Amino acid sequence: MNILYYLHQFPAIGGIETVTATLANYFVSKGYGVTIVSHIAKDNADKTVALDSRVVVLRMPDAEGVTTRNQMFLRDVVRDRKVDVVVFQDSYAPIERNLLLLKSTKNKGLVVVENSAPYFITGSAMQAVSLKNILRNPRHFLGRCRRA
């Protein structure tokens, strides 16, 4: 089985990136093929979980956003690497539309993992979360929270 992880940034320091690296290392140790596709890499990547050398890491052709070139690149990676399951590590980056061309790829599973950070409810990671702030911005629970 071949697994593709799709996320906004990798490597980087953060929960999404740490979980991705941990799972990727586990799956390759069990004989699965694992590819990680991201848009950007962070400078602090040397402080992240060490990645097994058998995990393939690829970068999208366009660093930010949704483009036809990114959609085609992702579709080609799924085809060329014979991906069975795509795991979309969702975050606040609006990149999900790059998955649209995958619907033409038959028999592929798609797992969407919704990651959230409660401090973004307020629109600022520096503000404390309170019931008052949660009620002020209920859109967070619909997946439409503001960026800090």
Side-chain angles (χ1 to χ4, degrees):
M1 177 188 269
N2 294 308
I3 303 167
L4 170 72
Y5 286 92
Y6 173 53
L7 59 160
H8 182 249
Q9 58 187 17
F10 189 90
I13 294 176
I16 296 171
E17 298 81 15
T18 300
V19 167
T20 300
T22 303
L23 290 173
N25 287 341
Y26 173 78
F27 285 126
V28 296
S29 77
K30 298 298 180 187
Y32 295 98
V34 178
T35 304
I36 298 172
V37 175
S38 71
H39 289 259
I40 59 174
K42 293 287 186 167
D43 293 336
N44 57 8
D46 59 331
K47 296 176 178 65
T48 61
V49 172
L51 197 62
D52 188 297
S53 62
R54 295 172 287 183
V55 177
V56 175
V57 178
L58 301 173
R59 204 76 58 234
M60 291 292 254
D62 298 325
E64 296 292 333
V66 176
T67 65
T68 301
R69 199 162 75 148
N70 280 346
Q71 290 175 344
M72 292 171 63
F73 176 80
L74 201 56
R75 183 202 58 201
D76 292 347
V77 168
V78 167
R79 182 193 63 224
D80 297 345
R81 300 204 52 83
K82 298 179 173 68
V83 171
D84 299 299
V85 177
V86 176
V87 180
F88 174 39
Q89 295 279 42
D90 192 15
S91 63
Y92 299 114
I95 58 172
E96 65 277 353
R97 285 186 28 229
N98 283 324
L99 296 166
L100 289 176
L101 286 182
L102 296 185
K103 67 182 178 183
S104 65
T105 310
K106 295 182 181 177
N107 301 320
K108 303 299 176 208
L110 174 63
V111 177
V112 177
V113 181
E114 179 64 35
N115 298 278
S116 80
Y119 290 119
F120 279 79
I121 292 169
T122 63
S124 171
M126 301 305 288
Q127 292 178 310
V129 174
S130 68
L131 181 59
K132 181 178 177 181
N133 285 336
I134 291 171
L135 294 174
R136 188 178 295 150
N137 191 1
R139 293 177 302 158
H140 171 75
F141 297 103
L142 300 175
R144 297 186 186 118
C145 73
R146 299 177 290 156
R147 290 182 191 217

